[in-house]
Amino acid sequence: MQIKNSAVSMIIEAENQKELEEIKLQFLGRSGRLTLTLKGITKIPVEKRAAVGQLANEVKKVIEETLGEKFLNLNSQFLIQNKQSIDITNPGIKPDIGHLHPMTQVLNEVVDVFKSIGFQAADGPEIETDYYNFEALNIPKDHPSRDTQQTLYLDTRNSKVNPGEIILRTQTSTMQGRVMEKIKPPARVIVPGKNFRYDQVDASHGFEFWQVEGFMADANVKLTDLFGTIEYVLRKLMGESVKLKFATTNFPFVEPGVDTYIQCSVCSGKGCNFCRYSGWSEIMPAGMIHPNVLKAVGYNSQEISGFAFAIGLSRLVTLRYRMDDLRLLTNPDLRILEQF
Ligand SMILES: [Zn+2]
């Protein structure tokens, strides 16, 4: 009777199926308390054996029944609890709808800023001819500056095109010739697009990079117009406090040539891997359009002058978001993209 009472009260208090299994072992297992009692029945006087045996069997039956009921009970409780945890009045889970890539976001801003000062946007081919990529930009076939533009040539062996004539454009400046051939001055145009060079890939260089080419051609366009435009645009895009530096440089398609540097935002000018420890990053090479380029498109270089520039868009985006590596822009990892 003592075994029955303690077994039943333990079963009633059990909170889960694991506890029930343990109780079952404790009483009905091979060395359980009731099992041992039944085994020890031979040691008691013969006349009492039948009564003890009957009692033990009744106790076993009660324990088994109570266990069975409790199993069912716990099981239905479990089901009820789980059912309650699904609240059908909850609103559904919204699927992710995605957003624009940081490059596209900044590109849209660049286009808006230029549109606000009268520029139009044009688009052009990424597969280009040698003529528009080089010759129309005052870079004849034997010009040493071609060596600085690591050009990717297309295989033209099975075509009528002369070898070396079709390339992947190395600069969006190709569109200067294409656009100016079609429109008369005044021309104010920007050309966003991808360029390709077999450059060594590192934190601030890629074999594929975005540029926004821009140019203006009209009567009396001066170098100060170029400075004013660059400063206005970069302050709009990078904030009023941005620090800029101009230096003279040499590109065959401009005379004089100007290089625009922006203070490295990754290290705030202290020097880091991204800016190659100079504190400055080249952001916008520019200059006054060379008279030979104007002549090539049929403009009168005595009456018409102009300026041209190219914004390194990939670099602008990395500097804007203080990324220390250009390669993050082409990384499809959502943990990166979700930050924008
Ligand atoms: Zn830096």
Side-chain angles (χ1 to χ4, degrees), residues 264 266-267 269 271-275 279:
C264 177
V266 178
C267 60
C272 68
N273 188 36
F274 188 82
C275 59

Side-chain angles (χ1 to χ4, degrees), residues 263-281 319:
Q263 193 183 63
C264 177
S265 61
V266 178
C267 60
S268 306
K270 290 188 192 81
C272 68
N273 188 36
F274 188 82
C275 59
R276 294 184 170 174
Y277 299 94
S278 67
W280 296 89
S281 190
L319 286 166

Side-chain angles (χ1 to χ4, degrees), residues 3 25-44 52 56 60:
I3 291 176
L25 266 181
Q26 200 179 328
F27 289 94
L28 306 177
R30 201 176 288 173
S31 43
R33 284 166 68 182
L34 190 67
T35 316
L36 292 179
T37 308
L38 283 167
K39 275 182 187 167
I41 210 161
T42 48
K43 288 176 191 159
I44 56 176
V52 173
K60 191 182 175 190

Side-chain angles (χ1 to χ4, degrees), residues 176-189 215-219 289-306:
Q176 278 185 37
R178 285 187 177 275
V179 171
M180 286 196 284
E181 272 177 359
K182 289 193 177 70
I183 59 172
K184 296 261 167 288
R188 264 183 281 185
V189 179
F215 52 89
M216 176 178 176
D218 200 354
I289 300 174
H290 197 286
N292 287 352
V293 175
L294 295 171
K295 278 181 213 162
V297 295
Y299 284 7
N300 183 342
S301 63
Q302 299 296 316
E303 292 169 9
I304 300 298
S305 56

Side-chain angles (χ1 to χ4, degrees), residues 191-219:
V191 187
K194 252 190 282 185
N195 303 300
F196 308 87
R197 298 181 188 186
Y198 62 89
D199 232 340
Q200 179 74 42
V201 175
D202 65 20
S204 51
H205 295 79
F207 63 87
E208 174 193 298
F209 59 99
W210 276 80
Q211 265 186 344
V212 180
E213 169 73 18
F215 52 89
M216 176 178 176
D218 200 354

